[in-house]
Amino acid sequence: MKTSIRQKLDSLAERLGELDLLLGEENATRDMAAYRKLSREHAEVSEVVSLYDEYRKLEADRRAAEQLLMDAEMKALAEEEVQRCDAALRHTDSALQKALLPVDPNDEHNLFLEIRAGTGGDESALFAADLLRMYTRYAERQRWQVEIISAHESELGGYREVIARISGQGAYSKLKFESGGHRVQRIPVTETQGRIHTSACTVAILAEADALAEIDLNPNDLRIDTFRASGAGGQHVNKTDSAVRITHLPSGLVVECQDDRSQHRNKAQAMAVLAARLKDRQAREQQAKVASERKSLIGSGDRSERIRTYNFPQGRVTDHRINLTLYKIEAIMHGDLDELIDGLVAEHQAELLAALSNGD
């Protein structure tokens, strides 16, 4: 085990002792918010320290076995014990390194999925609809809930822009690597001469803020406009100002919601999307200050960066960040994203492990 990792583990063992004392104080529960925070930290640290205790016990067992190697009668048994300890130490060391990886506080959050058509006109809008269907079917496989928050449809049935809320256990942890530029190469339905066109969409995955508590939204910074919703919806749409547009004046961010008949619900949804966008912007600003950390996330994190290509004539999907090409485009477009997502998660963990081992 590297010295830097052992030092971190020793400090965690000390911290566990401190937490035991703090939680055992007579007035520990006077501030319940602080008590819950300490309890969560205690649970996390206890798990790591327990593994570290196991590791140190294995080291002691191995040293004891080594001392018996000089005994002719015990040599065979001692060699077997050394081999057992070595295998167990490798396994425990790997588990410890993973347990020490920084936890993304957003991993268990719900999320907002935003898909915007880019270059390619109507074909790009149709591809946006295909991407929404792909993520929706993946979500169904995970037993997550998908709710359309806002949609601006194109003439051919695609989307110029669509925002969906995806809720379920671990939703953000799985989909957070999907932000970026998605490119499609295929023959559009509008193409009469059979030529392959290249179009693009931008995907943004935004962690939902906890009841707006994580983001300070000053009412004086907001301009809220109501207007009549457009598009399908029957007579009701044309008679009431149920649609809501919220402008965050300091940042210039604008969110519109008009899919619900209730102005109150549209406003609540728009506020939630705005909070998620502001939270995402804050996170990106923080990441920019430590740009050397995790090329964020598996790449520069730039929304315009091309992260994946869907080539229909060749039946392949390529994720350019991890150089992974899969020849199963139909399955992927029907929501079979496990291989892509698992590859991205593994690459991200490998980068974090490398940084941990280097003492960063």
Side-chain angles (χ1 to χ4, degrees), residues 335-352:
D336 184 5
L337 300 178
D338 288 336
E339 202 166 347
L340 284 166
I341 288 173
D342 289 348
L344 290 162
V345 170
E347 178 72 12
H348 183 51
Q349 285 192 341
E351 288 181 0
L352 293 176

Side-chain angles (χ1 to χ4, degrees), residues 250-311:
S251 66
L253 289 174
V254 179
V255 179
E256 287 184 10
C257 281
Q258 59 176 320
D259 275 34
D260 200 279
R261 292 190 173 191
S262 162
Q263 183 187 112
H264 177 76
R265 182 162 167 76
N266 279 330
K267 180 181 176 182
Q269 296 281 27
M271 288 286 281
V273 173
L274 176 61
R277 287 185 184 174
L278 287 170
K279 178 181 177 179
D280 181 67
R281 174 174 286 195
Q282 288 180 5
R284 288 178 175 279
E285 288 173 353
Q286 291 170 359
Q287 289 168 6
K289 294 176 183 177
V290 284
S292 59
E293 182 198 5
R294 65 177 188 182
K295 294 185 279 185
S296 213
L297 291 154
I298 316 295
S300 71
D302 186 349
R303 295 265 193 263
S304 63
E305 180 189 16
R306 185 193 70 194
I307 64 168
R308 193 175 294 151
T309 296
Y310 305 75
N311 187 304

Side-chain angles (χ1 to χ4, degrees), residues 12 15-16 19-20 22-23 28 31-49 99 103-105 108-109 210 214:
L12 282 176
R15 177 58 180 166
L16 183 60
L19 290 168
D20 285 334
L22 289 169
L23 290 170
D31 183 344
M32 285 307 297
Y35 182 78
R36 283 193 292 269
K37 184 177 180 181
L38 287 173
S39 295
R40 283 195 298 269
E41 184 184 357
H42 187 276
E44 293 169 1
V45 173
S46 292
E47 184 178 350
V48 179
V49 173
V103 176
D104 187 335
E108 294 306 314
H109 283 215
D210 283 338
E214 298 177 37

Side-chain angles (χ1 to χ4, degrees), residues 1 49 120 127 146 165 167 171 233 246 248 297 304 318 334 346 353:
M1 178 183 291
V49 173
F127 181 49
V146 180
R165 179 177 183 268
S167 56
I246 300 179
H248 185 250
L297 291 154
S304 63
T318 299
H334 282 83
L353 283 169

Side-chain angles (χ1 to χ4, degrees), residues 213-230:
E214 298 177 37
I215 299 295
D216 182 19
L217 286 175
N218 187 338
N220 295 327
D221 291 339
L222 305 178
R223 186 176 72 235
I224 301 176
D225 302 306
T226 58
F227 57 98
R228 292 186 181 180
S230 59

